[in-house]
Amino acid sequence: MNAYQKFQLLSEQVTGEVISQLEQGKVLWHKPWGSYGLPKNYFSGRHYEGFNAFFLNYITEKHGFSAPYFLTFRQVRELGGLVRKGQKGTSILYWKVYDSKEAEKSGGLTSKDEDRQGKRFVPFLWTVFNIDQVEGIDFQLPPIQEQSGQQVIASCQRVVDNFPQPCPKILHGGFQAYYAPVQDTVQMPELRHFVSSEAYHATLFHELIHATGHVSRLNRFAEEGQADRFGDEHYSKEELIAEMGASFLCAYTGIKEAVFQNSVAYLQGWVSRLQQDKTMIIYAATKAFKAASYIVDLKAESCKEALPKAKAAA
């Protein structure tokens, strides 16, 4: 199989899992993040990005792993350990950038994977293992820094206050939250209309992610086109980007509780859209991380953390 065929297979497998969750009334991108926040590579200390962050968070919860830290097979060996017998790794995705001619040799990707400069993004898959799937290494994890409710809200407000210039105007009033691209304004109900301050900020994050698509920022709307109904392709993708981007910001600020309501119609709508486009969730997660990174500089390079050194177990 070439790179794109492997990518399509991963997309189908992941989308199947997401749809199965939706049919049980669960939404992968609404899942709360654990105490350690975004999943990390234990060897490098870097956060995983985009789709990988969402999927590894889901895998951590699904299998009851103690922490969202992962390693490649080679990194396990370099640290003097072994993958436990019978353990199955998790596929994650990395994109390599080529010009069009180079990309054709690497897998023949479509224009969907080409940017406006004619560069092609070719997917490559890697397998990682959670540290709970490894033996022979004495893993040293950093202490969990629990935040009080006030600290979480203060962190949320810093994200809002430090939105890069030019920032959209945030207005309050009415009972609906939305972003108006033409006016570049975010409309929010008053805080008292929300069940909690966390729910208010999660909703505000959703609208601020939308705002990153403006021409003065990431110019995502020019790439994706415009649509105004949930069933429309571009509208659905943009909504998924906003929901996933808001989830990243919730993880970044420390919001852990599920703050979104999942109606039957909402769940059925996403099942239908994902069945039609098996790659939508992966592409949306990539753009969502880019949007969150724009707001808070949430990049792998700047998120590198020094972890305690692992030692080979005696």
Side-chain angles (χ1 to χ4, degrees):
M1 285 191 292
N2 64 27
Y4 196 57
Q5 289 169 330
K6 292 178 181 178
F7 169 71
Q8 290 285 20
L9 182 60
L10 175 64
S11 299
E12 292 174 6
Q13 292 173 341
V14 170
T15 301
E17 288 231 28
V18 174
I19 289 174
S20 175
Q21 290 276 304
L22 288 168
E23 290 173 341
Q24 298 174 49
K26 303 173 184 177
V27 183
L28 183 144
W29 54 88
H30 284 180
K31 286 185 179 297
W33 300 81
S35 298
Y36 287 102
L38 293 170
K40 301 177 184 72
N41 180 280
Y42 185 89
F43 193 85
S44 68
R46 291 183 176 179
H47 293 289
Y48 287 100
E49 298 184 11
F51 157 77
N52 295 334
F54 272 100
F55 195 54
L56 293 179
N57 181 59
Y58 163 70
I59 290 296
T60 299
E61 181 186 64
K62 177 182 178 181
H63 295 291
F65 293 142
S66 58
Y69 288 96
F70 293 81
L71 293 161
T72 65
F73 184 82
R74 182 177 177 178
Q75 289 170 340
V76 171
R77 296 295 297 270
E78 285 191 36
L79 291 175
L82 295 169
V83 174
R84 296 181 188 277
K85 188 175 180 179
Q87 292 295 315
K88 184 178 180 181
T90 300
S91 293
I92 58 174
L93 177 68
Y94 282 94
W95 297 90
K96 292 189 178 180
V97 182
Y98 299 89
D99 62 31
S100 296
K101 290 182 179 180
E102 290 176 322
E104 288 174 6
K105 297 177 183 178
S106 302
L109 300 191
T110 66
S111 60
K112 184 176 185 179
D113 305 283
E114 184 173 337
D115 68 8
R116 285 171 289 177
Q117 284 74 46
K119 294 180 180 179
R120 294 288 185 94
F121 296 84
V122 179
F124 287 86
L125 304 186
W126 295 84
T127 300
V128 295
F129 299 87
N130 186 269
I131 60 174
D132 287 359
Q133 297 176 289
V134 174
E135 61 185 4
I137 300 174
D138 182 16
F139 289 107
Q140 304 293 316
L141 298 182
I144 296 173
Q145 300 293 330
E146 294 290 354
Q147 297 186 84
S148 68
Q150 288 184 332
Q151 288 174 318
V152 170
I153 299 307
S155 179
C156 291
Q157 194 56 48
R158 281 194 298 272
V159 169
V160 176
D161 293 341
N162 294 327
F163 190 101
Q165 296 295 329
C167 61
K169 190 172 184 179
I170 301 175
L171 305 175
H172 289 84
F175 299 95
Q176 289 186 314
Y178 59 87
Y179 171 65
V182 175
Q183 295 82 16
D184 193 26
T185 59
V186 169
Q187 184 69 46
M188 288 287 295
E190 297 287 351
L191 176 61
R192 66 178 182 274
H193 296 303
F194 291 85
V195 296
S196 66
S197 294
E198 288 85 355
Y200 166 85
H201 281 94
T203 301
L204 179 55
F205 289 161
H206 178 109
E207 305 307 333
L208 290 177
I209 293 291
H210 276 315
T212 64
H214 190 267
V215 64
S216 65
R217 300 177 190 106
L218 299 179
N219 201 23
R220 190 171 57 248
F221 303 143
E223 297 176 359
E224 299 292 346
Q226 295 287 341
D228 55 11
R229 292 183 297 109
F230 181 81
D232 290 329
E233 177 184 3
H234 298 310
Y235 181 93
S236 297
K237 287 182 179 178
E238 177 60 25
E239 277 301 295
L240 188 52
I241 290 168
E243 294 203 6
M244 296 181 112
S247 180
F248 279 126
L249 294 179
C250 286
Y252 179 83
T253 55
I255 295 176
K256 295 178 185 176
E257 298 178 7
V259 292
F260 299 104
Q261 297 298 315
N262 304 322
S263 68
V264 173
Y266 171 89
L267 297 169
Q268 290 176 341
W270 280 118
V271 168
S272 175
R273 288 298 305 128
L274 293 171
Q275 286 174 335
Q276 294 171 35
D277 184 354
K278 298 295 198 307
T279 65
M280 185 168 77
I281 192 163
I282 291 181
Y283 283 108
T286 301
K287 291 181 181 293
F289 191 92
K290 185 177 181 180
S293 177
Y294 175 87
I295 295 175
V296 295
D297 199 23
L298 187 61
K299 299 182 228 177
E301 300 86 63
S302 62
C303 291
K304 185 173 181 180
E305 293 181 4
L307 295 175
K309 296 291 184 182
K311 298 180 293 184

